[in-house]
Amino acid sequence: MPSQDKDSYLFGLIGSGIGPSLSPALHEREADRQGLRCLYRLIDIDTLGARPEAVGDLLRAARDLGFDGLNITHPCKQHVIPHLDELAPQAEALGAVNTVVFAPDGRAVGHNTDVTGFAASFARGLPDVALERVVQLGAGGAGAAVAHATLTLGAGRVTVVDALPERAAALADSLNHCFGDGRAASAAPDRLADLLARTDGLVHATPTGMAAHPGLPLPAAFLHPGLWIAEVVYRPLETELLRTARALGCATLDGGGMAVFQAVDAFRLFTGREPDSAAMLADFAELSGAAGAHKQPATKQPDNGSAHEQPATKQPDNGSAHKQPATKQPDNGSAHKQPANK
């Protein structure tokens, strides 16, 4: 646990196309409320001309420069793992890290707050929906986190569909190992229409819908009013998927709550202090409204401090969140020692 004696912090976000991220403002505003000084820097691998595999070098540079912690987003959440000294149990189970805390002795400890962030947002925004059968589109770093969260929230079975079938199968195997046989399955993209015809809801965890990847992640004809739709993308807040689903009468959840609640959990890990989640939700509403008042560049891709992986199967035609206070939120866990491969 970080010392509460500190009154100034330096954080950063490593990822691709992160210019529009609201993570810096969310963390800096919460620090101000708590009487802390906080500087949050964006470390964009696109701007640096670096590949995702360079995340280890960036991590070491941040540690040497005195950073207290980092958020990690697409496409670095899995690449960062070999460069860490420890993993919290949840991050180890997921095989994905979105938060790195630098301990006083210099150890880099990896966590995943995407799981708790999505779970809190879902419980708040879609508290009463059926969860017996869920289809998830996307099996990357964000997909692994939200699938774990969905099963933790009580889903009976999650079927994972990904443009890379082997990645979907690997995630389903991992989920069955963690939650028990039969709780997860994988399916090829050509089965998506049939699956959605007889499922309760769809979790979307690919980058399609982001500013840099506009459009629908699946044909609009696959959607129907009996589905609920949960989105991971938050910039823009209303993706084409959510807009299309709402027009059909589907219950929908945008990616904003996940963005806020993962930041709430990351701030707690970084500082050892309890953040004001209600104030951070209000900050997000203000910031996202202000951002929406300006034309968003079509070339940049946002992020959560969390992330989104690879575009889905098809791109035709797109909807936001609602409802009530959070009820459930899984634990981040404490760290398990893992040897660093440097």
Side-chain angles (χ1 to χ4, degrees):
M1 175 72 81
S3 168
Q4 292 191 16
D5 296 336
K6 282 175 64 75
D7 62 4
S8 65
Y9 293 89
L10 177 59
F11 307 139
L13 170 64
I14 298 177
S16 168
I18 54 178
S21 174
L22 298 183
S23 290
L26 288 173
H27 283 82
E28 289 175 357
R29 285 185 175 205
E30 180 58 22
D32 285 346
R33 273 190 292 271
Q34 303 217 13
L36 306 173
R37 297 173 61 195
C38 170
L39 185 62
Y40 191 114
R41 292 294 196 190
L42 297 179
I43 306 169
D44 194 321
I45 61 173
D46 295 348
T47 303
L48 296 173
R51 294 181 56 78
E53 294 80 6
V55 66
D57 294 331
L58 296 173
L59 180 89
R60 284 186 286 275
R63 175 163 43 192
D64 292 346
L65 289 169
F67 277 69
D68 297 289
L70 296 169
N71 286 131
I72 309 293
T73 189
H74 171 76
C76 301
K77 290 183 175 186
Q78 288 150 331
H79 290 292
V80 74
I81 289 176
H83 306 283
L84 300 175
D85 301 303
E86 297 182 28
L87 286 178
Q90 200 160 70
E92 186 171 26
L94 288 168
V97 163
N98 81 322
T99 302
V100 176
V101 177
F102 294 119
D105 62 4
R107 289 174 304 116
V109 183
H111 300 264
N112 194 301
T113 67
D114 286 338
V115 179
T116 51
F118 182 81
S121 177
F122 194 99
R124 176 178 181 269
L126 292 173
D128 301 318
V129 296
L131 284 169
E132 187 56 37
R133 294 163 300 177
V134 177
V135 172
Q136 177 174 302
L137 192 54
V146 298
H148 273 251
T150 303
L151 287 167
T152 300
L153 287 165
R157 181 179 174 91
V158 172
T159 301
V160 183
V161 179
D162 193 86
L164 300 174
E166 65 278 8
R167 186 161 71 165
L171 177 54
D173 287 346
S174 170
L175 293 169
N176 283 324
H177 178 74
C178 290
F179 292 93
D181 289 344
R183 298 293 301 283
S186 64
D190 61 9
R191 289 193 52 214
L192 194 54
D194 178 56
L195 288 167
L196 291 177
R198 48 192 175 84
T199 197
D200 297 312
L202 170 68
V203 177
H204 175 236
T206 87
T208 303
M210 285 179 162
H213 302 284
L216 274 174
L218 76 176
F222 290 6
L223 302 176
H224 58 84
L227 287 172
W228 54 260
I229 309 291
E231 175 70 274
V232 174
V233 173
Y234 84 92
R235 297 293 299 277
L237 201 56
E238 183 179 77
T239 62
E240 195 173 342
L241 173 62
L242 291 182
R243 193 158 52 245
T244 302
R246 261 205 306 275
L248 289 170
C250 301
T252 62
L253 178 72
D254 66 38
M258 178 178 174
V260 174
F261 287 114
Q262 69 78 26
V264 166
D265 292 340
F267 188 91
R268 185 184 299 110
L269 288 167
F270 287 151
T271 65
R273 298 167 185 259
E274 189 58 34
D276 185 338
S277 59
M280 292 180 75
L281 282 165
D283 287 340
F284 180 86
E286 179 190 336
L287 291 162
S288 57
H294 304 286
K295 194 154 188 168
Q296 217 37 39
T299 51
K300 287 272 188 191
Q301 178 177 339
D303 179 76
N304 280 355
S306 87
H308 322 293
E309 309 305 317
Q310 151 161 3
T313 52
K314 269 200 176 173
Q315 315 258 93
D317 299 269
N318 188 326
S320 185
H322 12 282
K323 299 197 180 27
Q324 152 171 335
T327 53
K328 250 191 204 182
Q329 187 168 346
D331 193 307
N332 281 330
S334 55
H336 281 176
K337 183 100 176 155
Q338 176 184 343
N341 302 317
K342 299 205 173 154

